[in-house]
Amino acid sequence: MSGASLPDATRGVSRRGLLGLAGAGLAGLGLGVAGDRATIAATGGTGTASASSYPFYAGHQAGIVTPAQDRLHFASFDLTPGTSRAELIELLRDWTLAAAAMTAGRDIGEFGAVDGPYGAPPEDTGEAQGLDPAGLTITFGFGPTLFETADGTDRFGLAAQRPAELVHLPHFPGDMLKEGQSGGDLCIQACANDPQVAVHAVRNLSRIAFGRAAIRWSQLGFGRTSSTSTSQATPRNLFGFKDGTANIKAEEPAAVNDQVWVQPGDGPAWLAGGSYLVTRRIRMTIETWDRTILREQEAIIGRSKGEGAPLSGGSEFTEPDFTKTGEDAAPLIDRAAHVRLAHPTRNGGHRLLRRGYNFVDGNDELGRLDAGLFFISFQRSPEQFSAVQLSLARNDALNEYTRHVGSALFAVPPGAREGAYIGQALFT
Amino acid sequence: MSGASLPDATRGVSRRGLLGLAGAGLAGLGLGVAGDRATIAATGGTGTASASSYPFYAGHQAGIVTPAQDRLHFASFDLTPGTSRAELIELLRDWTLAAAAMTAGRDIGEFGAVDGPYGAPPEDTGEAQGLDPAGLTITFGFGPTLFETADGTDRFGLAAQRPAELVHLPHFPGDMLKEGQSGGDLCIQACANDPQVAVHAVRNLSRIAFGRAAIRWSQLGFGRTSSTSTSQATPRNLFGFKDGTANIKAEEPAAVNDQVWVQPGDGPAWLAGGSYLVTRRIRMTIETWDRTILREQEAIIGRSKGEGAPLSGGSEFTEPDFTKTGEDAAPLIDRAAHVRLAHPTRNGGHRLLRRGYNFVDGNDELGRLDAGLFFISFQRSPEQFSAVQLSLARNDALNEYTRHVGSALFAVPPGAREGAYIGQALFT
């Protein structure tokens, strides 16, 4: 960021979110432009896995091709009934300023200096004081319901701007979706290498939204399950297998442009340079999986468990050979293997940029861990996800050990330039 | 560990836990003594905050005075009805071997070499493959119900060994305890600097327990709220305040002996060198707290929010002066301030070694984060905790913003020497 002059958007910004919280009107968003820490790249948060801060203002939103951070706090919001278009815009302005501050490692406002005859609550909740930015990225998205007319009314005057593809995902075979873990008008994906920093971000953005939007559902993820940069080692999911070996990486600019970023002409202009975000809360029946013999586990995945090499031979990054057969003339990579069904050659060339996280949310009454994968993918079109998921939902041998219980789709606008707010082109 | 010869306890160790899982009886605990990584200290896991591994076999169990690691997975278990005393001993043997392996950064057995006519599931679930030990400690405890007679029967023949103090904690004013988040026959506290390592430990120990014990409740904590070593900075809780400034530190050996370790003569001999562990799941109503003005927050805690200094003056580590008054002749540290009520001078000199963690477990239906403090303390006697908690529960101004929903007490046996199993003195 440039330093001396305040960006345009900070003038006249709504303070309603904070005012609504305080007894008296003394609070204000802290707009001082503090000294930046190390920033990495001009656009979209590409960089190294160990970077400590990514600029918020960029051509693309950060948190997509950014090297996947270790920890996640994701929250889906619904607009509070009665919230107006102007209030929605105010909220996005406020969120933008707060996100820019927090991703630079700053508090969202005064920490403790606010005082006076009536006093005021601190603007920032404080639990990230003294912590590094920890590579925090905050990524915003708009759900299909934001564009829907309720009771025949176009809530926010956005129906004409709705991308044709921003519709609810189809029902896939085996889906056991729960309403309370699916959907939402808005979303925030906060990723960081320190979970306290990610939690702090969602908590403060939720607080700012008070009276305008409230959390519909949320999810913590403790461990990344994908690499989005060749600088990162491939992590393991809770099946114990390496995950995301063939993921789209930031170092493949042609693939990123072709498969991840919405291109001009794909739909309404406001979304060019953005993407579509899919979340799926996938509960894994890990206790059952753990009783499956190793060869069966490997046959189901189509890769070795240790090295992650395709069963057709080679090492982790060897391209799988689906035609190769063994002594019994059967293919070395099973017909129902996950790696085969998810492969671009089986799905019209579609690839996804995956960015999911392992989760454990306590246990059920039988003492089984409520564990699994919080799947996140970014793609140029929701159709890419649907094609792959349909292929998997119909035939994947892994389905015996997974249950899709949450699902959501969001349109992710491009990044905001300094002085603008996130999604601004949608409203102008 | 010494290297060549296998410890005694590994001969004839039960493999039931794993055999129960496999279709065929080919699995066995991996007993190979792999090369150790850096180990730190001879006893009880003292060391520096950045240590990557702590020895499991030690005079005291690690995970108590060990510098508090960043992440937690805690699980409480109930013995499965019908489990015999011999099976309980087998379970403790199996857990001991697995814990010794995992804390040294090893898998609990064969990862993928097990094969044969019928095959077998991998012994280790695999998701920690390739990860550093991450300072993992695994601490075991025995709940009051382990010593209780069900239907007039002394389940495990332990009633005579029950310490007089190992009774259920009293009901404290304001308690809103939930059965499903309280109590338990056995507990495992897994702490590590990588949550995937802590989750892997609980998952594999739970798997080993299959058929003998099952998880009753469990809790992930994403951020430590206490320092247990002067080498650590004081972290912040979700009220945004530094927590644990006055905590007992490993560098105070006299206080640790006086306040944390059960001494010979305190009770039955098997517990000497051990401790008592209390957990309290404390839900914080953070949305309400966040609307409280700064001066009120500081008055409730009795410290400044930024620096953490007592309101009587000085800096973070200055001893609070409860007699000091301001211009209005009222004490600078309020009569109901948390720091006053929790202070040893108000509680018969009692101190606790606190080792709690921040948690966020999703949100409730109103969009409020299900967040708070998973309080853990270790003390020589449960009476220390009860005295402090009674003082707080009656008068603490903080109670307006907290709700105790889970509670448990465990006796933590001393560490096991190599070749023995955890808690062995209880059974011999």
Side-chain angles (χ1 to χ4, degrees), chain A residues 150-361:
Chain A
D151 307 329
T153 321
D154 183 2
R155 278 198 290 170
F156 305 108
L158 297 174
Q161 295 287 346
R162 181 178 186 156
E165 294 174 294
L166 187 63
V167 290
H168 297 271
L169 290 172
H171 177 90
F172 298 102
D175 272 2
M176 300 180 67
L177 304 183
K178 295 177 183 171
E179 187 69 18
Q181 298 179 342
S182 301
D185 291 336
L186 301 168
C187 78
I188 296 173
Q189 173 196 272
C191 299
N193 293 316
D194 182 333
Q196 183 121 337
V197 169
V199 163
H200 172 262
V202 167
R203 175 186 183 179
N204 280 275
L205 294 169
S206 164
R207 186 176 177 230
I208 287 170
F210 182 79
R212 296 177 284 186
I215 292 179
R216 177 182 171 88
W217 55 267
S218 58
Q219 180 70 52
L220 264 73
F222 65 78
R224 69 181 174 92
T225 62
S226 297
S227 299
T228 54
S229 165
T230 55
S231 66
Q232 300 184 292
T234 311
R236 290 180 186 271
N237 62 28
L238 292 182
F239 288 136
F241 277 76
K242 290 184 183 177
D243 203 339
T245 294
N247 203 20
I248 296 177
K249 305 288 201 308
E251 292 81 0
E252 304 174 76
V256 169
N257 271 320
D258 190 46
Q259 304 274 348
V260 179
W261 302 131
V262 174
Q263 299 296 318
D266 281 0
W270 67 268
L271 192 53
S275 190
Y276 287 93
L277 187 173
V278 169
T279 69
R280 304 284 287 185
R281 188 175 192 274
I282 306 176
R283 171 90 190 260
M284 293 174 166
T285 55
I286 57 173
E287 289 80 5
T288 317
W289 175 259
D290 287 344
R291 288 175 215 169
T292 308
I293 67 171
L294 177 65
R295 281 179 302 175
E296 174 76 3
Q297 290 185 1
E298 293 185 334
I300 289 170
I301 301 293
R303 293 183 179 274
S304 69
K305 192 165 188 177
E307 155 77 15
L311 295 185
S312 51
S315 58
E316 182 190 345
F317 293 99
T318 305
E319 187 63 19
D321 180 350
F322 299 115
T323 63
K324 207 165 175 181
T325 51
E327 289 180 10
D328 57 358
L332 288 171
I333 297 175
D334 195 81
R335 290 201 170 77
H338 183 75
V339 70
R340 179 191 291 269
L341 295 170
H343 199 267
T345 55
R346 289 286 300 248
N347 296 291
H350 290 325
R351 296 175 71 193
L352 314 174
L353 185 143
R354 279 163 291 152
R355 227 175 177 287
Y357 286 82
N358 296 324
F359 72 84
V360 172
D361 292 343

Side-chain angles (χ1 to χ4, degrees), chain A residues 37-80:
Chain A
R37 307 185 196 176
T39 54
I40 309 305
T43 184
T46 52
T48 65
S50 60
S52 87
S53 107
Y54 300 101
F56 181 77
Y57 296 111
H60 305 292
Q61 287 197 67
I64 303 172
V65 296
T66 308
Q69 300 94 327
D70 290 341
R71 325 286 170 220
L72 168 80
H73 195 178
F74 193 100
S76 165
F77 291 78
D78 280 340
L79 273 302
T80 305

